[in-house]
Amino acid sequence: MRCSIRDFAVDRGIPRGRRLPPRLWLSGFWLGLVFLAAILAPWVSPHDPLAQDLFAGRLPPAWIEGGEDIYWLGTDNLGRDVFSRILHGSRIAMAVAFIAGICTCLVGTALGMAAGFFGGWTDRVISRLVEIWMAFPPVLFSILLVAVLGTGLFSIIVAIIVIDWTRFCRVVRAEALNQSRMDYVESARVAGYSRSRTLLAEVFPNILPTAVALLSLEMGIAIIVEAILSFVNLSISTDAPTWGGMIAEGRISIHQAWWVLAFPLASLFLTVLSFSQLGEGLKDRFDPVLR
């Protein structure tokens, strides 16, 4: 059955009176908090995330004996406020998630739609390229790319795009191949639509739900990749507050100051889990086969 963008917005929206699954609103709530923290971090952080106070090193959280009220989540080895560093680390995590995720989605979706809909040599070339690309171990490939391009936020985003576009390409290709065999596509051709117009106006709206669900999952993966690169000191400046860098620092003093590792690790886990659950929930909500 033919589905336009307007049909997608109306027919596949949330039915009136139907409650959202708990995992959708819980994930959305947590991601909303992280997003607000990323935006407001410079104004709501109680301390400078780079300010060091060696006399206040490894102070426990405020609610534990020995802690101070001005350090809600304690301090690290150099006396830097853990809470402030987590807030500022969310800026880097969310920037990588949105920029790298959207760019990866655009590249992979465009190539996957072209391969699945046009077929022929276009499909063969793109499919072979995907197979070659997926032969490289993703983590080692990302480390190699950042080592070649140099550290920095731009290099991390480029590395994620170069590695993960195949994820979108394979799934979207299969969906486009399936949609290209539908009756509404043949009807569009009989009506005189060009192949490009048929792809954009008729096929793309039916692929959009799958791409949106994959985008949510990709955002979580992008945060993990950035954390891994930060863990091995291949992200941005080593002084900058990143969740992966904080985890690497906390690993050294886990027995003396567990909070230095626990809180950034919990933030990373909850954020990635929320993106994953949001993607799965969107897929269940919008996929007509699963519904």
Side-chain angles (χ1 to χ4, degrees):
M1 180 179 294
R2 180 180 178 273
C3 175
S4 64
I5 293 179
R6 192 169 72 90
D7 296 331
F8 167 76
V10 175
D11 296 338
R12 297 191 179 186
I14 299 173
R16 186 174 299 176
R18 183 176 176 182
R19 300 180 62 183
L20 286 172
R23 65 176 177 176
L24 270 181
W25 63 264
L26 285 174
S27 299
F29 175 74
W30 174 257
L31 293 176
L33 287 179
V34 177
F35 185 72
L36 286 176
I39 295 177
L40 302 176
W43 297 279
V44 301
S45 297
H47 300 277
D48 183 346
L50 301 180
Q52 301 180 12
D53 184 359
L54 298 180
F55 293 102
R58 296 182 180 177
L59 287 178
W63 66 85
I64 297 179
E65 184 180 357
E68 296 185 6
D69 293 338
I70 59 174
Y71 298 116
W72 298 347
L73 300 183
T75 61
D76 62 7
N77 300 333
L78 299 177
R80 297 172 296 190
D81 182 41
V82 173
F83 179 67
S84 298
R85 289 178 64 79
I86 289 177
L87 290 180
H88 283 265
S90 67
R91 296 171 63 86
I92 298 173
M94 297 304 282
V96 170
F98 279 93
I99 298 175
I102 292 174
C103 292
T104 303
C105 178
L106 293 176
V107 173
T109 300
L111 292 175
M113 288 173 57
F117 185 76
F118 293 112
W121 65 268
T122 303
D123 186 21
R124 289 193 293 270
V125 170
I126 295 177
S127 297
R128 297 296 85 75
L129 184 61
V130 169
E131 292 174 358
I132 294 172
W133 227 252
M134 295 189 68
F136 296 97
V139 175
L140 295 180
F141 196 18
S142 63
I143 293 175
L144 176 62
L145 286 174
V146 173
V148 171
L149 296 174
T151 58
L153 190 61
F154 175 78
S155 299
I156 295 173
I157 293 173
V158 171
I160 294 172
I161 296 172
V162 170
I163 293 169
D164 280 350
W165 67 270
T166 56
R167 191 188 317 277
F168 284 87
C169 188
R170 293 185 67 189
V171 176
V172 171
R173 174 192 173 275
E175 187 66 21
L177 188 63
N178 181 57
Q179 294 294 329
S180 65
R181 298 169 180 170
M182 295 294 181
D183 292 338
Y184 73 86
V185 174
E186 187 62 31
S187 299
R189 292 172 180 170
V190 172
Y193 283 23
S194 65
R195 301 190 71 186
S196 299
R197 183 180 177 184
T198 302
L199 176 62
L200 295 177
E202 306 296 329
V203 176
F204 175 67
N206 291 279
I207 295 176
L208 187 58
T210 300
V212 170
L214 283 175
L215 174 60
S216 180
L217 295 172
E218 176 59 31
M219 288 181 176
I221 294 173
I223 292 178
I224 292 177
V225 173
E226 190 281 325
I228 292 174
L229 294 175
S230 298
F231 189 85
V232 296
N233 292 327
L234 284 178
S235 182
I236 58 178
S237 172
T238 54
D239 292 332
T242 61
W243 289 348
M246 295 179 68
I247 292 172
E249 295 172 0
R251 177 179 58 89
I252 301 175
S253 57
I254 181 62
H255 299 293
Q256 294 80 23
W258 57 266
W259 53 89
V260 181
L261 172 66
F263 293 122
L265 185 61
S267 300
L268 176 65
F269 173 78
L270 290 175
T271 303
V272 173
L273 179 63
S274 295
F275 272 121
S276 175
Q277 291 301 306
L278 182 63
E280 291 293 333
L282 291 175
K283 183 178 180 181
D284 294 345
R285 173 68 62 175
F286 292 135
D287 193 324
V289 175
L290 292 178
R291 288 194 303 161

